[in-house]
Amino acid sequence: MTRALASLGPANRAARHEETHPLTWRLRDDGQPVWLEEYQQKNGYAAARKALAEMAQADIVQQVKESGLKGRGGAGFPTGVKWGLMPADESLNIRYLLCNADEMEPNTWKDRLLMEQLPHLLVEGMLISARALKAYRGYIFLRGEYVDAARNLNRAIEEAKAAGLLGKNILGSGFDFELFVHTGAGRYICGEETALINSLEGRRATRAPSRPSPPPSASGASRPA
Ligand SMILES: Cc1cc2nc3c(=O)[nH]c(=O)nc-3n(C[C@H](O)[C@H](O)[C@H](O)COP(=O)(O)O)c2cc1C
């Protein structure tokens, strides 16, 4: 999206502050992407630095629980509760963090705007989430038509890697996290979480037949317990 926000209506002409526009206050008025230097000038990665240097994983999960943050994919499931479903025993699995950026619902451009213009916001959010969940690898499952978002996210990932914000021993914390963009082939069902995992793992994008147990957050799409 290259149109200036000022052209989008009175609500977007209002001054944006962290308190009033928590997700969008860092957007530029000219609609150009906010790259790493500017993002950091606007307090970017301060939360990630705090999460890595000052907080235990359990504290991050607790804070997210207390915040009341909910998923925006339709179900509105409490994020902290979902995170609490991850098995405590780390030896049971390798942990991946998946971001559902399929956004196939007609006219839902909420994720696209952020990914195109504030790609570091997603990278930082995933870094904090990965830290909380002890995930060492993350994938952004991105709607294939979102060519600009893919380009900007990949550039943001490269910038973050070069600045020591992704990769090995992030900011000297001992924590490693790698992040990749995976573009989907364009089927609506890929946005459903179990179909998304199947597709990402190279299988046909079919939905798990019934509610899997344990939930996909703990086990993947179709693996037995
Ligand atoms: C047919 C179908 C399509 C879906 N498409 C999307 C989507 O494009 N993006 C999304 O975030 N969630 C989508 N969902 C919801 C996901 O299954 C899941 O609830 C959501 O990713 C969880 O988000 P959370 O981890 O933020 O709570 C879809 C669900 C169904 C049944």
Side-chain angles (χ1 to χ4, degrees):
M1 179 178 287
T2 52
R3 272 181 304 168
L5 278 176
S7 69
L8 294 179
N12 293 298
R13 285 198 288 274
R16 294 185 298 277
H17 302 288
E18 200 167 354
E19 293 78 23
T20 56
H21 295 69
L23 283 176
T24 55
W25 69 275
R26 294 186 180 97
L27 288 172
R28 294 168 58 99
D29 285 339
D30 64 7
Q32 292 302 305
V34 174
W35 298 118
L36 184 60
E37 192 181 343
E38 182 178 353
Y39 184 70
Q40 295 203 104
Q41 282 163 6
K42 294 176 174 172
N43 212 19
Y45 288 101
R49 286 175 195 278
K50 182 176 173 191
L52 287 168
E54 297 171 28
M55 295 176 78
Q57 279 96 346
D59 296 338
I60 305 173
V61 175
Q62 188 57 30
Q63 189 157 331
V64 169
K65 268 187 192 162
E66 285 168 13
S67 76
L69 183 71
K70 290 181 179 173
R72 291 174 169 237
F77 195 81
T79 306
V81 174
K82 187 173 191 172
W83 287 5
L85 297 174
M86 290 286 277
D89 184 352
E90 288 171 61
S91 67
L92 288 176
N93 53 21
I94 302 169
R95 293 160 178 244
Y96 299 101
L97 176 66
L98 307 185
C99 167
N100 188 342
D102 207 38
E103 197 165 58
M104 281 274 180
E105 209 66 57
N107 286 332
T108 50
W109 289 356
K110 64 182 184 7
D111 299 338
R112 175 180 157 189
L113 175 82
L114 296 174
M115 291 187 294
E116 287 183 354
Q117 296 185 32
L118 276 178
H120 280 286
L121 186 67
L122 179 53
V123 175
E124 181 178 11
M126 289 192 71
L127 173 57
I128 296 169
S129 309
R131 172 67 165 174
L133 297 168
K134 302 182 188 172
Y136 299 100
R137 180 171 277 220
Y139 293 92
I140 300 168
F141 190 102
L142 184 66
R143 178 176 178 161
E145 293 98 322
Y146 281 8
V147 177
D148 291 347
R151 187 192 58 234
N152 294 359
L153 284 167
N154 276 314
R155 174 168 163 182
I157 288 169
E158 289 310 315
E159 282 189 326
K161 270 195 227 167
L165 293 157
L166 285 177
K168 300 268 181 218
N169 190 22
I170 296 171
L171 299 172
S173 64
F175 180 62
D176 304 336
F177 182 56
E178 284 188 287
L179 184 55
F180 302 92
V181 174
H182 175 97
T183 46
R187 285 184 65 202
Y188 178 65
I189 191 61
C190 288
E192 193 280 328
E193 57 187 349
T194 58
L196 185 152
I197 296 170
N198 277 330
S199 175
L200 187 65
E201 293 188 344
R203 293 188 290 270
R204 186 179 286 270
T206 47
R207 187 176 185 216
S210 60
R211 207 75 205 133
S213 178
S217 52
S219 67
S222 53
R223 294 202 177 81

